[in-house]
Amino acid sequence: MMPLLTPLRRLRRMLPALLVGVSILLAPVLVLAVDDPSEMLPDPKQEARAEAIGSQLRCLVCQNESIEDSGAGLARDLRKVVREHVAKGETDKQIMDWMVDRYGNFIRLSPPLSVGTLLLWSMPVLALLLGLTTAFFAYRRRAAAPAAPPPLSDDEKARLAKLTKD
Amino acid sequence: MLSPELGHYALALACIFAAAQGILPLIGAHRRDRRVMMLAPGLALGQLFALAISFLCLVYAAVTDDFSVQNVAANSAVTKPLLYKITGVWGNHEGSVLLWALILGICGAAVAAFGRNLPSALRARVIAVLGAVAAGFELFCLTTSDPFARVWPAPMDGQGMNPLLQDPGLAFHPPILYTGYVGFAVPFAFAIAALMEGRVDAAWGRWVRPWAVAAWCFLTCGIALGSWWSYYVLGWGGYWFWDPVENASLIPWLTGTALIHSAIVVEKREGLKIWTVLLAIATFSFSLSGTFLVRSGILNSVHAFANDPARGIFILGLLGVVIGGSLALFAYRAPALTAGGLFAPVSREGALVLNNILLCSICAVVVTGTMYPPFMSLLFDRTISVGKPFFDATTIPLALPLFVFMGFGPMLPWKRAQLWPVLQRLWLAAIVTAIAFLVAAFGVSGVLPVLSCGVAVWIIAASITDITERVRLFRMPLAGSLQRARMLPRSVFGTALAHAGVGVTVLGLAAMSQAQHKIVEVPVGTTEHLAGYDWTLTNVTQEPGPNYSALVATIEIHHNGRLVTVMHPSKRSFNSQNQTTTEVSIHTNLLADLYGVLGDKHGTDAAPTYVLRLHYNPLAPWMWLGALIMAIGGALSLSDRRMRVGAPRRAKLSSETVTAA
Amino acid sequence: MSTSPDNENLTRRRLMMGLPLAGAAVLGVGFWKMLAGMQRGSFNPHDINAPVLNRPVPEFTVPDQAPGQGFSAQDLRGLTKPVLVNFFASWCIPCLAEMPTLMSLKDDLTLWGIAYKDRPENAANFLKHSGNPFTRLGSDHDGRIGMEWGISGVPETFLVGPGGIIRWHTATPLDVDTIRNTLIPLLEKLKAS
């Protein structure tokens, strides 16, 4: 694990401070910035499919990057594997299963729905519902409450403050 | 003169000033003792002065190559260009914490300087809260991340800076981003002060909003700059990765955006008061935890950062005091705050509530997604990844309705509105949007890009309609419209501009989904076709640089036989660092970027071939241009008379009597 | 100050306003646990946790790597004693650092090595200089066998129990502490069962 990372580690030690926004993005450039065109499948349709699958797979040694975006050696190897499997005519699911079988769910950038990830996947709906219901109940409570007396004017407030504080 | 020891002492002095600033004014405000309260501005200025000296000392050490300072030895070198010697000061953990403290000091001094119109007790408390936070970070700096630590024996030369970081975009990214992060300390301090006083009113909303808007402008620019940097440095056109480090900046931006909107309701209608206070606390808390938890190693992936566990514990303790303390105060005092008035669901307030719900839902998703992997690992010992596919799938469905409602919001009247008249006024915008949908449906592939194009055009058209409706363009003589435009508050233009900026960014994002690229391995003299352009590799030469040697390609790009541009992407090998970097070449006409990258050299020396990566990125600059427009919109709002701190003198006077009499 | 006259209402408000604090406290405790775990070494949020653990070794055959003889899944499954399988490479600095530890182990534990994405001559040279702790040696030239094992870099080490079941895995260089605190107790447990 380390050797691939030694330049990254050195870099990363100085980065966090500097690059709160972007630190990790450096990683790929250090290794390699341009892919080898020979990697690509000759059939553009198959290549597009391979890219779609690859973009769902995490480059294991990088930050949240897909293997399609990363220049790390392992990412390149995995890209090759994906393309071989696509060329063999395997389905997306078969290829994904192959990967998960070896590297676990860690390799999926989009975690599968399970008991453990239920909260994660339901968060958008949960947050939205929570917000809407809170707003609704706040509105209903206020609408039900007797109309508040008109607030004091600034002059009245000032007078009141004088009376109570001094 | 400006020795590291002086810097160290100045930092210690600043810490003492900050501690005094955090305590004395609070006592003064509590006892209503004006003389003690009046210490606050002086202490804030003193702290800033000491911090400035301290920072200057570090800059001086870096510029004069004082490698006996460990921080300089580890991050600088004699051959480093002067600009990067200076910017390198904040290019490491210790220096960046000092910069962070300096900006916080500037915020405190700014409140002291520009807050003369605030009620004196409120001002004293705000400055005190800022002082207390600053004291914590200066203590952190002094105890666990001392930038002035000496090393003995001093090395002859420093270890140098990573060549990738020697980039102008990156040099100024941290100060801008930090100003955004730290700027939210001011609304935070206002929120804490309001909780202490037990009152939040329209005046509070008016005072807090300019600070929030200013911080928001910086944060917007900072995020955009970071994204732009990765676009032109990474070599494949990526601009956003949903990486924990990026999310750390996006999260406070989302709550900050919610804050600048909810504060309007406080100011205009005295509604959403408790919520706004909570948002102010949350935004700064997220800023803090984002920037500092990334450094603890929990969020930062791969094995980096196991360097100093004491640092992580100190940070967590500090966060616990600042965030825990403020939320405890909130839990204790907020229930007693008076609730706001009633308003109809369909009204400007209602739209702003919806804005807040959607923004905070997106924020909740981003927070959950970012925090889920370490918590899964902690609680269930399972490792999972949460990346771009997840965030795309969950945030976009929340963002699209937000964009749709953005069009209506600013046109709804306060209190109680009718939807129909607003819709009638938006008919032209609706038609433009419908046309945009049709055009996109034919020209753009994918459902999501089509939808995005549509809503982007909708936002821009609705923003323009908002202005034209207000000035009654074409419904009265032009001179009259101009007169009305002059009378219109600048914040109205600011809102429209900022909203239009969102539209521009969304349009850029949608268009980028249509980007085309090509990776080829070719000998010199080959012409490639991409997106209607002919890219010819005419020459590749070896050129020496100051501390590297570069392989430079010349690519001529023709469009319909006419020369568009000649680009020189290159590949630099740094001898000292044993690293190579790619220098991307970008030609833009603002409608599209032509993006060329030179890769590896293959083949024999007699017949070499080169790997080229060519991209055609439609509307790419719009992504960051939109962010810039948003920030300009914010700045325009700031220049509005009504937004200036304590502007309406009469309102100010009356509340001054209320709180401080 | 309060507008709500009834106490029940106020209590509910108090509970609601306490929620952010409660949420932050939960997160804070979580972070504290993580940091403490990281300090002790018991928690690493960046572990990949490849799912090979407690599974039979994957199907593979590594060709010979000088100076040793290659092996396959069958060889591992046929064993009655535990074996430590180590992925290494000559281009990997932590691997070099790990070698003395492996050398000190070789008399007490069988070690089999796989050279990961390495030129055979480089790997052979590497072992000549650092000493060769491995009784069997294979070459994974293109990294495909490493993929079958789910490794993401080198060095990575697997403890293969009798019958070819993978009992333990680490993605960090072996050191004395790991051997003493983790590996030896594990071996004792394997022997007992």
Side-chain angles (χ1 to χ4, degrees), chain B residues 118 122 187 190-191 194 199-213 259-273 276-277 280 642-646 648 655:
Chain B
L118 296 175
L122 182 67
F190 268 96
R199 59 172 289 152
V200 178
D201 53 15
W204 182 88
R206 189 159 53 233
W207 290 318
V208 90
R209 216 157 73 84
W211 297 101
V213 170
L259 172 66
I260 57 179
H261 287 92
S262 78
I264 305 177
V265 183
V266 178
E267 184 186 334
K268 300 277 167 112
R269 301 277 299 131
E270 294 228 357
L272 297 184
K273 291 189 286 193
T276 305
V277 165
R642 297 183 305 172
M643 281 277 266
R644 270 176 227 150
V645 186
S655 27

Side-chain angles (χ1 to χ4, degrees), chain B residues 186-537:
Chain B
V186 181
F188 168 81
F190 268 96
I192 300 299
L195 287 173
M196 287 174 178
E197 294 187 344
R199 59 172 289 152
V200 178
D201 53 15
W204 182 88
R206 189 159 53 233
W207 290 318
V208 90
R209 216 157 73 84
W211 297 101
V213 170
W216 178 86
C217 289
F218 277 103
L219 194 55
T220 307
C221 286
I223 294 173
L225 200 59
S227 155
W228 181 56
W229 174 85
S230 60
Y231 172 76
Y232 75 75
V233 161
L234 284 191
W236 53 273
Y239 50 89
W240 189 262
F241 303 83
W242 293 106
D243 164 293
V245 190
E246 289 173 326
N247 292 351
S249 63
L250 182 65
I251 291 165
W253 187 85
L254 288 167
T255 54
T257 311
L259 172 66
I260 57 179
H261 287 92
S262 78
I264 305 177
V265 183
V266 178
E267 184 186 334
K268 300 277 167 112
R269 301 277 299 131
E270 294 228 357
L272 297 184
K273 291 189 286 193
I274 299 172
W275 173 242
T276 305
V277 165
L278 182 62
L279 272 181
I281 295 175
T283 305
F284 185 57
S285 302
F286 281 131
S287 295
L288 274 185
S289 9
T291 31
F292 287 95
L293 282 177
V294 214
R295 294 165 194 221
S296 68
I298 292 175
L299 288 179
N300 210 341
S301 173
V302 203
H303 303 198
F305 268 124
N307 43 13
D308 190 358
R311 212 175 255 174
I313 298 286
F314 193 113
I315 288 173
L316 196 62
L318 197 59
L319 292 183
V321 172
V322 174
I323 300 173
S326 52
L327 287 176
L329 185 69
F330 177 81
Y332 178 62
R333 296 303 291 264
L337 289 176
T338 49
L342 177 72
F343 50 78
V346 181
S347 63
R348 180 83 71 85
E349 301 93 308
L352 288 167
V353 169
L354 192 61
N355 149 305
N356 269 235
I357 292 173
L358 286 166
L359 277 171
C360 290
S361 298
I362 298 173
C363 181
V365 170
V366 179
V367 172
T368 315
T370 313
M371 296 316 312
Y372 222 77
F375 273 90
M376 267 300 255
S377 179
L378 180 76
L379 297 175
F380 305 110
D381 200 23
R382 295 243 182 90
T383 49
I384 60 161
S385 300
V386 177
K388 189 172 164 22
F390 169 83
F391 287 110
D392 281 351
T394 49
T395 55
I396 294 174
L398 289 170
L400 286 178
L402 179 66
F403 296 148
V404 173
F405 291 122
M406 264 174 79
F408 299 106
M411 305 194 71
L412 289 168
W414 295 96
K415 289 186 194 179
R416 177 160 281 122
Q418 309 251 277
L419 212 47
W420 184 237
V422 175
L423 289 176
Q424 276 179 317
R425 279 186 284 161
L426 280 166
W427 67 273
L428 192 61
I431 289 176
V432 171
T433 308
I435 294 170
F437 262 123
L438 283 178
V439 171
F442 283 106
V444 175
S445 64
V447 178
L448 193 62
V450 173
L451 281 178
S452 308
C453 280
V455 293
V457 171
W458 162 251
I459 299 170
I460 298 170
S463 303
I464 296 171
T465 311
D466 187 26
I467 297 293
T468 57
E469 279 295 315
R470 279 169 200 265
V471 302
R472 296 176 173 264
L473 194 65
F474 306 131
R475 283 203 266 139
M476 62 190 295
L478 199 60
S481 285
L482 281 176
Q483 178 63 24
R484 285 185 74 98
R486 261 198 298 280
M487 298 291 286
L488 220 52
R490 285 203 205 153
S491 64
V492 171
F493 288 105
T495 304
L497 204 59
H499 282 203
V502 174
V504 171
T505 296
V506 175
L507 213 50
L509 292 170
M512 268 302 270
S513 67
Q514 310 297 309
Q516 302 172 40
H517 75 269
K518 200 169 190 180
I519 305 164
V520 289
E521 187 183 324
V522 291
V524 170
T526 324
T527 299
E528 288 291 331
H529 307 281
L530 177 70
Y533 290 86
D534 302 323
W535 314 55
T536 312
L537 178 68

Side-chain angles (χ1 to χ4, degrees), chain B residues 579-594:
Chain B
Q579 276 176 8
T580 54
T581 64
T582 44
E583 300 292 311
V584 173
S585 187
I586 302 174
H587 171 82
T588 186
N589 59 4
L590 287 183
L591 287 177
D593 278 0
L594 303 174

Side-chain angles (χ1 to χ4, degrees), chain A residues 104-127:
Chain A
N105 280 323
F106 184 75
I107 201 166
R108 300 179 62 157
L109 278 171
S110 181
L113 185 64
S114 69
V115 182
T117 57
L118 199 61
L119 181 66
L120 178 69
W121 279 104
S122 58
M123 202 57 201
V125 179
L126 219 59

Side-chain angles (χ1 to χ4, degrees), chain A residues 1-3 61 77 84 102-103, chain C residues 94 117 144 148 152-154:
Chain A
M1 172 128 334
M2 300 297 170
V61 293
D77 294 348
E84 283 169 16
R102 278 150 189 81
Y103 291 102
Chain C
K117 296 182 85 171
R144 289 303 172 89
E148 295 294 335
S152 51
V154 272

Side-chain angles (χ1 to χ4, degrees), chain C residues 55-192:
Chain C
R55 279 204 215 164
V57 291
E59 235 11 275
F60 76 97
T61 309
V62 271
D64 298 353
Q65 155 74 51
Q69 182 202 350
F71 53 96
S72 69
Q74 266 64 43
D75 295 329
L76 282 168
R77 283 175 199 157
L79 286 166
T80 50
K81 278 206 297 189
V83 174
L84 209 59
V85 177
N86 176 265
F87 283 83
F88 71 97
S90 65
W91 43 263
C92 143
I93 296 159
C95 299
L96 189 65
E98 183 188 45
M99 273 302 160
T101 319
L102 294 182
M103 287 300 284
S104 70
L105 262 182
K106 74 170 185 167
D107 294 332
D108 309 309
L109 186 62
T110 317
L111 289 155
W112 290 10
I114 297 178
Y116 177 73
K117 296 182 85 171
D118 207 352
R119 282 200 190 139
E121 61 271 24
N122 290 357
N125 256 331
F126 173 80
L127 292 174
K128 208 179 279 169
H129 286 114
S130 65
N132 180 7
F134 305 117
T135 41
R136 304 278 289 264
L137 257 177
S139 166
D140 176 18
H141 184 68
D142 55 3
R144 289 303 172 89
I145 288 146
M147 245 177 233
E148 295 294 335
W149 286 71
I151 72 167
S152 51
V154 272
E156 290 201 26
T157 309
F158 299 83
L159 180 70
V160 181
I165 311 290
I166 296 173
R167 293 297 178 188
W168 180 72
H169 165 227
T170 180
T172 47
L174 274 184
D175 54 26
V176 181
D177 280 346
T178 319
I179 292 171
R180 195 175 293 143
N181 301 333
T182 316
L183 197 55
I184 292 177
L186 203 68
L187 284 167
E188 278 166 354
K189 221 168 76 185
L190 276 181
K191 205 168 186 184

